[in-house]
Amino acid sequence: MEPIQNERKDLVSCITLSLACNMRHNFCYQSCFSQEMLSHDVLYNKLKPVYENSALLNLIGGEVTILSGMDDYIPFVRSCNSTTILSLVTNGLAFDSRWIELCMANNVLVNYSLDATNADIAQTLIDKGRYPYQKIWENFLALSDSHRTAEFPLINCISMVVTPSSVVDIIPFIRLGLRHGVNVQILYSNNEKVPWNDKIRISLYEAIKFKVFCADYIDVKLLNFPPLYNNLLVLNDIVGSPAYQKEKQDFLNKIEPVRSRNRYSEWSYGAFDHSLTRCLLPWNGFLVLPDGDVLPCCNLNNYPIGNINFQSFDEIVTSESASCLRQLLIADDYRYCWNNCRCNMNCQTSINNLQGGYQQEATAAFERGDYNSFLLKISGWPDQHFSATQLYHKAFALHSQKEHDAALKYYQAALDKGFSEFWVRYNRGSLLLDLERPDEAKADLARAHELDPHHEGAKQQLAAAVERIQAENQAGKLINLLRR
């Protein structure tokens, strides 16, 4: 990797095991809840270097507790690295005594998404059915009891997501964390479902004040708030003034605070330090998605730097995509980053939803007609990883390189996966015509002409196929006459 001043060599990593989840929160950005998991080979073999080199490692589901094989997988991850801060995220619904024992045995910190301080507010967080808050609350109380008495502190934090209905619960949620002696994480939704308004702004002002009041007991993290939040941080100095000391003391006297047994730890915080001048996640961040795509952080969904299904850990972290991102940040260019990210040191340069990464580099090579480079860039991709468009691009590139049999295979694969029938039929028909297979060419070209009667190329190629067939028929008749 390119050198960087104060570079941290230990990884901060997050593994998304699956999209499967047993809850449907209305603030959730997920639209798919597939039961499919990362493969056994990926989990146990290809990701082993990540486990071994991570200072922080977070496991997320969807919902980890409903996935099969976790009784073996979590001990395996711990066996690869006895010192890493290992954590998991759960909504708590299935977090029973078995899971408490599993986390205790493997020194796993739990990020518990409690969401609300009471059932009424929790109910507003789903659109259909009853929110099973009582079960989640009971599981939390059992975890909290174990957290206080276990040799290893179990709870990293309890968390909630700010919504229009739950914003009133921010301060009660902080009080709840203080009573139980657990850190608190308040997340502002980044999916545009929660408008930034005066109600949230006022609640945030109060939250910052209580964050300071609680600092000697628990960590309170306020994450993903708009850039205005950074301006509000000057309140830290104001709240620390003598004028607020009485209010602070009155608050603590009423709450009977309990001190947390551990400091808050979150995987992406390994990228951020006030002594640094840029985010370090492109150097030491590793977020794996269920399809195998690897991102340097959770906000760069449009910039995968590789895929663990068909690339090694070393190939991904030294890839052209990863290098490009590092060079941008060295130049203080955060164009791919999210404005609200706390690690974004120059949010003025951010442009949301830019595309990039290893897939986009291959597409760019194809679009400029550099088919040899395109084929080299995708040479390691397994067929099942290709989209319909990528299958078509591969077929066209192979066609242009005169790798005819392979081109025919990928034209058919693109058609099967739903790519534009016209373009597959047209180009495959042209290829079949070049291969002196006019009957097959005619079938494809006739269908292409039917789909787009005005396309001149399709008309001309169909006419050529018909003419070729007629010529072959005439030649056949002549040969038969001569044989007589």
Side-chain angles (χ1 to χ4, degrees), residues 81-100:
N81 190 330
S82 62
T83 61
T84 186
I85 298 173
L86 178 60
S87 65
L88 62 82
V89 179
T90 178
N91 61 36
L93 182 55
F95 200 87
D96 55 16
S97 58
R98 180 180 69 88
W99 270 94
I100 292 176

Side-chain angles (χ1 to χ4, degrees), residues 29 31 70 76 83 110 132 149 174 184-186 204 207 239 246 258-259 293 305 332 387 390 392-393 440-441 479:
Y29 57 86
S31 57
M70 292 296 101
F76 170 77
T83 61
V110 180
T149 58
I174 294 174
V184 172
Q185 179 177 265
I186 311 292
L204 182 58
V239 175
K246 185 178 185 304
V258 177
R259 185 169 278 105
D293 270 357
I305 58 174
D332 200 29
S387 66
Q390 289 165 340
Y392 173 76
H393 285 175
E440 295 171 78
I479 291 171

Side-chain angles (χ1 to χ4, degrees), residues 45-69:
N45 299 320
K46 292 195 170 183
L47 286 175
K48 191 175 181 183
V50 178
Y51 310 146
E52 294 171 341
N53 292 285
S54 292
L56 293 165
L57 176 61
N58 194 26
L59 305 176
I60 60 178
E63 175 52 42
V64 176
T65 60
I66 65 171
L67 302 178
S68 62

